[in-house]
């Protein structure tokens, strides 16, 4: 994988549903994996930064896992709420180009009542 | 708690005009970045500054110049705007250039070149 790829591109769930998204990234020379939450008309906000294989991070109902050997990260949202509606971006950085995060195109989540 | 402040928020330019996008952060971050966001594409890095006094090209630097005026400010200049530069521009900062630190983004500048 040369680029950062996110799936699905968009997702529509009902309030209370749990959901998850995938981020695939180049595993060679991995340095860090970032997740951002981007609400419409606002700027991206950092959710998690993970650097170690097996890392798991949690913030409220949102959690993320990291597998650097196979090059993927999952973002989970438990009991989705309408305020979770946003685009979720991931970005990866490699050693040697750690300053140059490569961003995926995001997963757009819409949560309805 | 201003964070990262970008100006202007909106701008319309004619082809060939020049302009400077301003960015300032008040978090004492060492590293600053300029990205552009185009439909269907991820954020793409234009230029970055690892620390005061240094700047480096990112993925899409052509047609742009930058200045790290001091630790707080990092400006992006379009010398001769082209329609291909129509985009939303985001400035960001982080404690250090290493990717282990999360980025703080500004609110964006929506630029249209006609």
């Amino acid at each position: 994988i040369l680029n950062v790829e996110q799936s699905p591109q968009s997702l529509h769930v009902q309030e209370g549903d749990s959901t998850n998204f995938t981020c695939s990234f180049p595993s060679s020379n991995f340095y860090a994996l970032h997740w951002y939450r981007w609400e419409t008309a606002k700027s991206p906000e950092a959710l998690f930064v993970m650097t170690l294989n097996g890392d798991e991070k949690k913030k409220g109902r949102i959690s993320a896992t990291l597998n650097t050997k196979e090059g993927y990260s999952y973002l989970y949202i438990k009991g989705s709420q309408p305020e979770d509606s946003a685009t979720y971006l991931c970005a990866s950085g490699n050693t040697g180009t750690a300053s140059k995060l490569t961003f995926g195109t995001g997963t757009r989540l819409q949560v309805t009542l | 708690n201003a964070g990262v402040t970008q100006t202007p928020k909106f701008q319309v330019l004619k082809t060939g005009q020049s302009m400077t996008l301003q960015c300032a952060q008040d978090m004492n971050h060492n590293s600053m970045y300029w990205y552009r966001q185009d439909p269907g594409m991820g954020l793409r890095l234009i230029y970055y500054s690892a620390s005061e006094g240094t700047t480096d090209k990112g993925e899409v630097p052509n047609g742009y110049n930058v200045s790290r005026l001091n630790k707080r400010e990092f400006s992006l200049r379009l010398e001769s705007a082209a329609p291909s530069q129509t985009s939303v521009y985001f400035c960001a900062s982080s404690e250090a250039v290493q990717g282990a630190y999360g980025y703080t983004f500004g609110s964006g500048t929506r630029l249209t070149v006609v």
Side-chain angles (χ1 to χ4, degrees), chain A residues 14-17 61 77-85 109 111:
Chain A
Q14 292 196 318
E15 183 180 15
D17 288 349
R61 294 179 290 99
I77 302 179
K78 184 178 178 181
S80 302
Q81 300 297 311
E83 57 265 31
D84 296 328
S85 297
L109 173 67
V111 183

Side-chain angles (χ1 to χ4, degrees), chain B residues 54-107:
Chain B
T54 70
T55 60
D56 284 287
K57 296 178 181 179
E59 183 183 352
V60 288
N62 292 343
Y64 305 95
N65 285 301
V66 290
S67 295
R68 183 75 183 267
L69 304 170
N70 48 55
K71 191 171 185 178
R72 291 185 64 248
E73 299 173 287
F74 188 39
S75 63
L76 178 72
R77 183 161 178 83
L78 287 70
E79 292 289 353
S80 179
S84 61
Q85 294 177 305
T86 294
S87 188
V88 181
Y89 292 85
F90 287 94
C91 177
S93 69
S94 66
E95 288 188 33
V97 71
Q98 289 83 3
Y101 298 93
Y103 288 12
T104 301
F105 284 86
S107 57

Side-chain angles (χ1 to χ4, degrees), chain A residues 32 34 36 38 43 49 99 101 105, chain B residues 37 42 48 90 97 99-101 103 106:
Chain A
H34 293 210
Y36 292 84
W38 192 358
S43 53
V49 177
S99 55
L101 287 183
T105 54
Chain B
Q37 169 73 54
Y48 68 99
F90 287 94
V97 71
Y101 298 93
Y103 288 12

Side-chain angles (χ1 to χ4, degrees), chain B residues 11-59:
Chain B
Q11 184 72 50
V12 178
L13 290 178
K14 293 182 179 180
T15 298
Q17 285 186 316
S18 63
M19 78 161 296
T20 300
L21 281 65
Q22 306 288 350
C23 176
Q25 52 92 9
D26 62 1
M27 297 167 289
N28 202 37
H29 284 173
N30 288 303
S31 304
M32 299 185 74
Y33 315 83
W34 277 105
Y35 284 87
R36 60 179 288 173
Q37 169 73 54
D38 299 296
M41 305 187 77
L43 291 164
R44 293 185 292 167
L45 183 64
I46 304 171
Y47 271 92
Y48 68 99
S49 170
S51 59
E52 184 179 357
T54 70
T55 60
D56 284 287
K57 296 178 181 179
E59 183 183 352

